[in-house]
Amino acid sequence: LARFESQDAARANSERPEQGAWWGACVKCFDGPVTFLDCSDVQPWLSGGSDDAHFVQIMEGRSSDVARMHEMMSRHSDEIRRERPEILGGLMLDAGDGRYVDAIYFTSEDEARQGERKEMPDEMRAEMEEGMKLMGDVSFFDLHEPMLVSAGR
């Protein structure tokens, strides 16, 4: 997952000779084809992406209504911050054609797993369940030791 401040910045990065050389070496580490999703519709969730995370969960999937799913996730921010302090924030990406990628940044994997087991407050339950149903067919990718570096850091 690479974050850029704009499509132009992402394109400029892709065109750098150093990037091409890095990718030429990196692609040999994969045992199958690599796919890319360029997502220009990116919304921060809670405090957005965080370089302070020690665990990141990426969810990639298809939804019958990506906008509604992300709307459901965006509700109850204060309650989520109170009930799940291990969640630093996230990014919600609409890749078009019903595809999405969501990245959730956590303080640690242990705290994330403990938080997953908590009961959800009643006032949030119905909307969170609707959001989960809208996730549709989803794949989870857990980054156990993420290397997070923002420009200028």
Side-chain angles (χ1 to χ4, degrees):
L1 180 66
R3 304 177 298 188
F4 295 92
E5 64 270 9
S6 68
Q7 285 181 319
D8 289 340
R11 191 173 7 269
N13 182 67
S14 293
E15 293 170 356
R16 292 174 42 240
E18 302 90 345
Q19 179 67 14
W22 172 82
W23 180 249
C26 187
V27 73
K28 296 172 188 173
C29 298
F30 295 95
D31 61 4
V34 178
T35 58
F36 293 88
L37 290 175
D38 293 330
C39 303
S40 58
D41 184 352
V42 179
Q43 300 172 34
W45 181 63
L46 300 176
S47 298
S50 174
D51 289 352
D52 296 327
H54 293 278
F55 175 66
V56 179
Q57 187 169 71
I58 309 288
M59 294 162 282
E60 179 184 354
R62 290 195 175 273
S63 173
S64 59
D65 192 342
V66 174
R68 177 77 176 155
M69 179 187 74
H70 285 162
E71 178 188 341
M72 294 290 97
M73 283 181 64
S74 295
R75 293 186 181 178
H76 304 288
S77 295
D78 291 338
E79 292 92 338
I80 292 170
R81 282 187 177 98
R82 183 181 64 244
E83 298 294 325
R84 300 285 308 272
E86 79 283 4
I87 299 175
L88 299 171
L91 299 172
M92 301 182 300
L93 300 85
D94 185 335
D97 196 29
R99 295 184 75 184
Y100 67 89
V101 177
D102 292 338
I104 311 299
Y105 296 72
F106 297 90
T107 54
S108 74
E109 184 171 6
D110 287 342
E111 291 171 335
R113 300 300 180 204
Q114 289 173 24
E116 288 174 344
R117 292 190 289 271
K118 288 183 178 178
E119 281 294 317
M120 209 174 312
D122 291 338
E123 66 270 12
M124 296 171 54
R125 189 177 325 277
E127 289 175 345
M128 294 302 277
E129 287 174 357
E130 179 183 350
M132 295 296 281
K133 286 179 187 172
L134 286 170
M135 290 180 83
D137 184 24
V138 62
S139 297
F140 293 86
F141 303 94
D142 292 345
L143 307 181
H144 303 283
E145 296 179 30
M147 293 186 338
L148 303 164
V149 180
S150 293
R153 252 187 123 175

